Amino acid sequence: MFTSFSIEHFRCFKHLEIKELERVNLIAGINNVGKTALLEALFMHIGYNNPQLSLVINIKRGMHQYSRSAEDLWGWLFHDRDTRQTISFLSHDHLEKSRELSLRLVEPETAIIANADNGSDDTSYMPTDTAQYELLMDFRAPDGSTASFTASLGEKGLETTGPRKQHPFRAIFLGTGPSGGEDAERFSKLEAKGRHEQIISMMRIVEPQLKRLSVLASAGQPEVYADLGLSQLIPVRMMGQGTGRLLTILLAIADSPQGFTLIDEVDNGLHYSILGKVWHAIRDLARELNAQVFATTHSRECISAAHETFSSESPYDFRLHRLERSRSTLEVIQYDKESLASALKEDLEVR
């Protein structure tokens, strides 16, 4: 697990350092203060050997089309869109080992120039000027070894280079949208290992009538269905946003043992009255699988429910981190068990 994480020149962060990370970390703060960007930084850092993540995080924000220039394609990764800077992510873990990933936009020695007159009607990939640049990613492992990876856009779309060895950690990034196909795949993997009953038991938090879950084909695509004792099974996505959201969260944690789950707006679609039970499920599953969770929220009810849940049973392996803008910089205000209990009791702002 990470115990600290720092960011240089990424998105809205010129510099940010978060210390004293716990097993479960909740990120709060007003809009446009960098909560999602923090999850993206962690996602890219953990997935250092996958240059495609530099585009995946933009796609999750709704930016689907390739641009006509490298600055437009990757420029918004850099603080103040200054592509002359180097982005850096540095983490330390519980064994006091460090990992560092840096990203730079460079001009390769041999630029691949796309043929503007190739007869294709597809305008989604880059033309000539974009192919003259590439995103260079340098990684330093805890043992001091290094590896380099690149991403560039050529005639056939995104092209990547670098070693393809097995990644030591798994990270799953959950946005706020539906995850039907991914949920079906993750549930199938758990069922194959005989570990699906635990998820079904936890899902009864929001649907007490649930008897079983099953993966069926819907319009040619796999989908998780629920047995509620009716004449037909029901797609989980038809049972309400909260039910589907809880399933997505639990399956993601279950599919990343020893790894990381990053959840944007963790309480999205969940009624405040069940948040305590939801945090109970997240806590128990993360502990059992030795996984680390990072989540964001705008909700005081969500923060209070998490604090009460983790206070009820030792250890208190939870930490609230509130991002706050101070003049032209961003800083982190952290709450441990005592300070958060005091702030909630005095009705102080912690969101």
Side-chain angles (χ1 to χ4, degrees):
M1 294 194 305
F2 293 158
T3 56
S4 70
F5 184 63
S6 63
I7 303 171
E8 300 281 348
H9 302 295
F10 177 73
R11 297 285 205 209
C12 59
F13 303 117
K14 183 175 182 180
H15 171 76
L16 185 79
E17 183 176 12
I18 301 184
K19 298 180 180 180
E20 299 179 343
L21 295 173
E22 282 288 356
R23 178 176 305 283
V24 177
N25 301 272
L26 190 56
I27 316 299
I30 64 174
N31 290 334
N32 199 33
V33 78
K35 298 185 296 297
T36 301
L38 174 56
L39 298 186
E40 292 173 335
L42 285 160
F43 191 47
M44 291 190 66
H45 178 64
I46 300 165
Y48 67 86
N49 65 342
N50 185 1
Q52 295 187 16
L53 297 186
S54 61
L55 297 185
V56 170
I57 61 173
N58 284 342
I59 291 172
K60 285 183 175 290
R61 286 181 179 255
M63 302 169 63
H64 293 278
Q65 295 298 316
Y66 289 147
S67 174
R68 291 181 174 270
S69 72
E71 287 79 6
D72 286 339
L73 183 65
W74 286 298
W76 295 113
L77 297 178
F78 294 81
H79 176 68
D80 200 22
R81 211 165 180 268
D82 184 358
T83 57
R84 298 169 299 176
Q85 300 285 351
T86 297
I87 296 171
S88 177
F89 307 130
L90 175 65
S91 66
H92 291 84
D93 63 23
H94 60 291
L95 299 176
E96 299 184 356
K97 294 183 178 181
S98 65
R99 296 167 175 79
E100 184 172 16
L101 176 67
S102 64
L103 295 83
R104 292 179 290 139
L105 195 61
V106 300
E107 186 173 1
E109 294 181 2
T110 305
I112 302 174
I113 307 299
N115 182 3
D117 187 24
N118 59 10
S120 174
D121 293 330
D122 189 348
T123 58
S124 63
Y125 16 109
M126 54 331 77
T128 28
D129 55 344
T130 301
Q132 295 177 7
Y133 294 88
E134 62 187 15
L135 187 70
L136 175 63
M137 304 169 63
D138 293 316
F139 180 72
R140 179 179 56 79
D143 61 3
S145 62
T146 60
S148 293
F149 308 85
T150 65
S152 60
L153 286 171
E155 291 180 336
K156 297 181 180 180
L158 186 67
E159 300 173 355
T160 63
T161 66
R164 290 291 183 263
K165 61 182 180 180
Q166 182 69 31
H167 197 285
F169 302 115
R170 178 168 174 79
I172 295 176
F173 188 115
L174 300 179
T176 57
S179 305
E182 293 175 338
D183 286 348
E185 181 180 353
R186 289 167 186 154
F187 183 80
S188 294
K189 289 167 62 176
L190 286 177
E191 189 172 21
K193 297 177 182 178
R195 294 173 48 208
H196 60 296
E197 289 295 340
Q198 182 182 26
I199 299 298
I200 295 172
S201 176
M202 291 179 171
M203 283 297 296
R204 294 191 178 107
I205 291 171
V206 294
E207 183 45 74
Q209 303 303 315
L210 179 65
K211 299 181 181 302
R212 65 186 176 96
L213 294 172
S214 182
V215 175
L216 303 175
S218 175
Q221 299 297 321
E223 189 83 33
V224 181
Y225 280 69
D227 181 357
L228 302 181
L230 303 176
S231 60
Q232 296 186 34
L233 302 187
I234 302 174
V236 170
R237 288 198 291 176
M238 297 295 291
M239 294 171 58
Q241 189 177 11
T243 305
R245 183 64 167 172
L246 179 59
L247 179 63
T248 295
I249 291 171
L250 295 178
L251 288 175
I253 297 173
D255 196 30
S256 52
Q258 315 290 324
F260 304 83
T261 303
L262 316 172
I263 313 167
D264 205 10
E265 298 186 25
V266 61
D267 53 319
N268 187 38
L270 295 169
H271 194 267
Y272 76 91
S273 63
I274 65 167
L275 286 174
K277 295 180 180 179
V278 170
W279 278 117
H280 191 283
I282 291 174
R283 181 196 66 186
D284 289 356
L285 197 56
R287 286 176 179 175
E288 178 185 339
L289 299 177
N290 193 26
Q292 191 167 24
V293 176
F294 294 85
T296 69
T297 188
H298 293 106
S299 165
R300 184 181 181 86
E301 290 88 353
C302 183
I303 295 170
S304 179
H307 170 67
E308 292 177 8
T309 298
F310 283 86
S311 295
S312 67
E313 180 182 307
S314 295
Y316 187 84
D317 44 358
F318 168 79
R319 190 62 56 97
L320 175 67
H321 314 270
R322 178 158 63 95
L323 301 183
E324 187 170 283
R325 195 175 301 279
S326 177
R327 295 183 181 178
S328 60
T329 62
L330 289 170
E331 60 182 27
V332 183
I333 299 174
Q334 296 178 301
Y335 298 84
D336 59 13
K337 180 179 181 179
E338 289 73 24
S339 60
L340 183 53
S342 177
L344 291 171
K345 181 179 180 181
E346 298 298 326
D347 200 26
L348 300 179
E349 183 59 80
V350 293
R351 292 171 296 178

